[in-house]
Amino acid sequence: YPLSAPKLSALYEMITRPAQRAALTFDPGLVDRILEDTGTDPGALPLMAFALNELYKVCQKDGRVMTFQAYEALGGVQAAIGKTADTLFTTFSRSEPDAEQTLIQVFRELITVDERSTITRRRTRLSRVTETASAARLVEALTRERLLVQSQGEGAASEPFVEVSHEALLSSWPRLVLLIENMQADLLLLRQVQIAAQQWEYSGHDAAYLWPEERLKPVVAMLSRSGRKLEANEIAFIRPELDRLVEELHH
C-alpha cells in the first residue's frame, strides 16, 4: 500500500512509543535532536531507524537510558552511517584481497547523476552488482547492516533489485566519498549518454540524433575505464558510426 511520508509529529511517536513499550527512556531533548539531524527528506525514516538501532546497541550495555553522550560518541546520524560502513569494510578487507576493486564494482552500479548533475543512489538489478563471489559477499554484508536494501521487482518472474538504503551514505563514508570523486566525470558523461539514447529512442531511432565517431570515443574510453554496464538501448546508441554506415550500404 502506498503511504505518504510521515510528518515530524508522527516520526516523534515512532521513536517514543516503541521505547515506552520496551521501558526505554531518552535524555531530555535527545529525540528532538535526532529528528533535527535526520531531517524530513523522503529517506528520513530509514535513516532515523538506522541511527536509533546504532544508539540502542551502545546504550543497552549500560541500562535502559538512551543518552546524549552515546549519541555524540556515534557522531550523530550522519557519522554513525559512515562509521558503520567503515568498520564493516575494514573487516571485509581482512579476508578479501581485492576488497577495493570489489567496492568499486559494487558501487559503480549503485550511484548515478540526476538531472541537476548531483550524485545520487540508483536502484539496479542485484545480478548486475553481484557478478563475482566477492561482490556478492560485500553486498550481503552491507545489507545485513542495513546500508543496502534488497527488494523484489514487479511481476511474478521479476528478479531482485538492490539500492543504497540511505542517501547520507554517499556523503558520510569517507572511502565512498573519495571513490565518487574519482568517478564523477565518468558518471556525468554516462548521464549524457543515457539522456541522448532516450531522445534517440523517442525519435524512432532517427539517425540525426546519433553522435558522431569523435564524440563516441570518450564514451568508449569511459566504459573501458569504469566497467559500467549499459542498457540495450544505450549499447545500440553508441554503436560505432562505421558499423552503422556499412550496414546502410548493405541495405
Side-chain angles (χ1 to χ4, degrees), residues 60-117:
Q60 67 176 336
K61 301 171 186 176
D62 302 321
R64 312 299 293 175
V65 181
M66 313 283 260
T67 66
F68 257 112
Q69 182 180 359
Y71 183 71
E72 295 291 349
L74 287 172
V77 173
Q78 303 286 334
I81 291 178
K83 286 181 179 179
T84 299
D86 214 41
T87 299
L88 180 152
F89 188 73
T90 299
T91 302
F92 177 79
S93 300
R94 294 191 187 113
S95 58
E96 301 286 343
D98 298 323
E100 289 288 345
Q101 188 57 41
T102 300
L103 184 69
I104 294 172
Q105 179 187 341
V106 168
F107 278 94
R108 73 187 177 199
E109 299 294 336
L110 295 176
I111 54 178
T112 187
V113 176
D114 64 16
E115 62 277 0
R116 297 167 297 178
S117 298

Side-chain angles (χ1 to χ4, degrees), residues 9 64 79 132 168:
S9 58
R64 312 299 293 175
T132 67

Side-chain angles (χ1 to χ4, degrees), residues 28-234:
L30 179 55
V31 174
D32 292 325
R33 169 67 181 280
I34 292 172
L35 289 173
E36 180 183 342
D37 290 350
T38 302
T40 57
D41 291 336
L45 185 56
L47 187 59
M48 182 187 78
F50 180 88
L52 289 170
N53 186 59
E54 293 303 303
L55 182 61
Y56 177 70
K57 287 178 184 177
V58 175
C59 291
Q60 67 176 336
K61 301 171 186 176
D62 302 321
R64 312 299 293 175
V65 181
M66 313 283 260
T67 66
F68 257 112
Q69 182 180 359
Y71 183 71
E72 295 291 349
L74 287 172
V77 173
Q78 303 286 334
I81 291 178
K83 286 181 179 179
T84 299
D86 214 41
T87 299
L88 180 152
F89 188 73
T90 299
T91 302
F92 177 79
S93 300
R94 294 191 187 113
S95 58
E96 301 286 343
D98 298 323
E100 289 288 345
Q101 188 57 41
T102 300
L103 184 69
I104 294 172
Q105 179 187 341
V106 168
F107 278 94
R108 73 187 177 199
E109 299 294 336
L110 295 176
I111 54 178
T112 187
V113 176
D114 64 16
E115 62 277 0
R116 297 167 297 178
S117 298
T118 302
I119 299 293
T120 187
R121 57 185 171 177
R122 171 178 180 255
R123 184 171 181 259
T124 191
R125 290 187 294 275
L126 181 62
S127 59
R128 293 185 64 157
V129 184
T130 57
E131 289 191 333
T132 67
S134 181
R137 286 191 290 271
L138 179 58
V139 167
E140 284 306 312
L142 291 166
T143 302
R144 282 196 303 271
E145 288 293 338
R146 302 196 294 181
L147 298 171
L148 298 182
V149 60
Q150 298 182 30
S151 58
Q152 196 68 28
E154 297 180 0
S158 63
E159 59 180 304
F161 282 72
V162 63
E163 63 183 313
V164 172
S165 302
H166 320 285
E167 198 82 34
L169 180 66
L170 307 184
S171 58
S172 61
W173 185 10
R175 188 183 300 273
L176 185 56
V177 170
L178 180 60
L179 175 61
I180 290 172
E181 287 177 358
N182 293 335
M183 295 173 60
Q184 191 158 12
D186 286 347
L187 289 170
L188 287 169
L189 178 56
L190 180 62
R191 175 69 178 176
Q192 292 171 6
V193 170
Q194 291 168 338
I195 293 172
Q198 287 176 355
Q199 293 173 338
W200 173 62
E201 197 167 28
Y202 293 154
S203 74
H205 296 163
D206 187 336
Y209 285 82
L210 292 170
W211 288 1
E213 192 71 20
E214 286 303 312
R215 195 170 181 188
L216 289 177
K217 285 181 179 178
V219 178
V220 174
M222 176 269 291
L223 293 173
S224 175
R225 181 170 56 248
S226 68
R228 183 70 176 264
K229 300 175 183 62
L230 299 181
E231 301 295 341
N233 69 314
E234 296 159 3

